[in-house]
Structure formats: structure tokens, C-alpha cells
Amino acid sequence: MAFTLNVNGQEHTIDAPEDTPLLYVLRDELGLHGARYGCGVGQCGACTVLSNGAPLRSCVVPAARLRERNLTTVEGLRGPDGAQHALHRAFVAEQAGQCAYCIPGMVMTAAALLKAKPRPTEAELRAALDANLCRCGSHNRIVRAIQRAAEELAR
Ligand code: FES
Ligand code: FES
């Protein structure tokens, strides 16, 4: 089945079975490897991307259902000139990742949060990340990184 997807501002024609999850299309068809396969059942958040600005677990949603959406992956947070987003810089500065497997999902969840609420409290931040799992226990550094990015974006 052929359909069109808008990913990171570009239109792509995809030819894949109707029930192919978005995550597989991103990684296998479009070569966008930022979103990760963790659990495959919508439980861990490693595959999180944005759909019209809202977090979406790309492992459980068929890509063909997302034809009318603007999809953003962690790669798409970069500026048009390739510049890193404040979240990218802050995660590096705070050494937020240990193995980093969860980090793209954390970054995308944080990007949606900061768009909706530029200066979240720590409690709001932790609540937003509650369903994003980090098996390395890096949550405190991840929270610090998002707070750092929020400060930079507010300047
Ligand atoms: S891989 Fe999608 S939520 Fe875990
Ligand atoms: S840094 Fe390893 S899973 Fe989060």
C-alpha cells in the first residue's frame, strides 16, 4: 500500500503494508534511527516522536493512519541550518544519558512539554516523563537537562 507521510517537514512516499508501525517506517524506510525500539507495545517511550506536536508512541501506531499529520523525530528538532536544539545541547552538557537508549524518547517528550509549558515545575516535568522508562536510572540528570534547556529557551 502506498501513502504519503510528512516527516520533519518533508513529504515521503511510503510503500508498506497497511499495519506497519510508524517506528518501522521511520527506521527501515526513511533511515531515521533516532526513535528506538524498546518494548514494542507502547509501554517504555523509547520510540516517542511528535504527531502535530504531541508525543506519539510510534511502535504501536500504523504509519498509514498518520497521513494527515506533521511528524517530527529527534532528528527533526535541529534547525534548518542543522543547529542543535537547546534540548540536544542540554542533554550533552548534563551528561544525561548513560547508555542513552531512552534519550530520544525523553527528548521528544520534553520538547512537547516545553512547547506547551515553557517553564514547568519539577513536579510537572517528572509527571510528563513518568511513562518514559530509563533502565539506567538517569532520571535526575535527565530532569536537570530539561530544566537547563527550559532556561536557555526562556532567555
Ligand atoms: S518501543 Fe514504543 S513504547 Fe516501547
Ligand atoms: S540512559 Fe540508559 S536507558 Fe536511559
Side-chain angles (χ1 to χ4, degrees):
M1 167 185 194
F3 53 95
T4 302
L5 279 187
N6 185 310
V7 182
N8 299 334
Q10 290 191 316
E11 297 283 329
H12 298 273
T13 301
I14 308 296
D15 193 1
E18 193 173 353
D19 58 353
T20 306
L22 175 63
L23 179 62
Y24 291 73
V25 169
L26 294 174
R27 294 182 61 89
D28 300 340
E29 306 295 328
L30 302 182
L32 295 168
H33 296 136
R36 306 268 168 79
Y37 181 95
C39 63
V41 291
Q43 297 290 316
C44 74
C47 66
T48 302
V49 300
L50 302 184
S51 170
N52 289 351
L56 175 86
R57 304 236 152 158
S58 65
C59 68
V60 288
V61 182
R65 278 202 218 147
L66 299 165
R67 280 172 279 208
E68 308 298 324
R69 309 287 184 87
N70 290 315
L71 303 169
T72 309
T73 69
V74 72
E75 294 91 343
L77 282 188
R78 286 181 178 268
D81 58 353
Q84 287 185 322
H85 188 275
L87 281 162
H88 294 142
R89 291 191 293 277
F91 270 68
V92 172
E94 294 290 344
Q95 299 184 26
Q98 188 166 317
C99 78
Y101 203 83
C102 68
I103 297 298
M106 296 282 187
V107 166
M108 298 313 284
T109 303
L113 173 67
L114 295 184
K115 194 89 177 164
K117 187 142 193 151
R119 298 304 294 263
T121 64
E122 182 173 338
E124 288 168 335
L125 214 163
R126 287 184 184 276
L129 293 178
D130 193 42
N132 284 68
L133 306 185
C134 174
R135 63 188 170 188
C136 299
S138 296
H139 286 93
N140 289 337
R141 294 200 303 272
I142 290 167
V143 166
R144 280 202 300 274
I146 299 169
Q147 289 170 323
R148 185 183 186 119
E151 279 168 27
E152 182 184 327
L153 290 167
R155 275 186 218 134

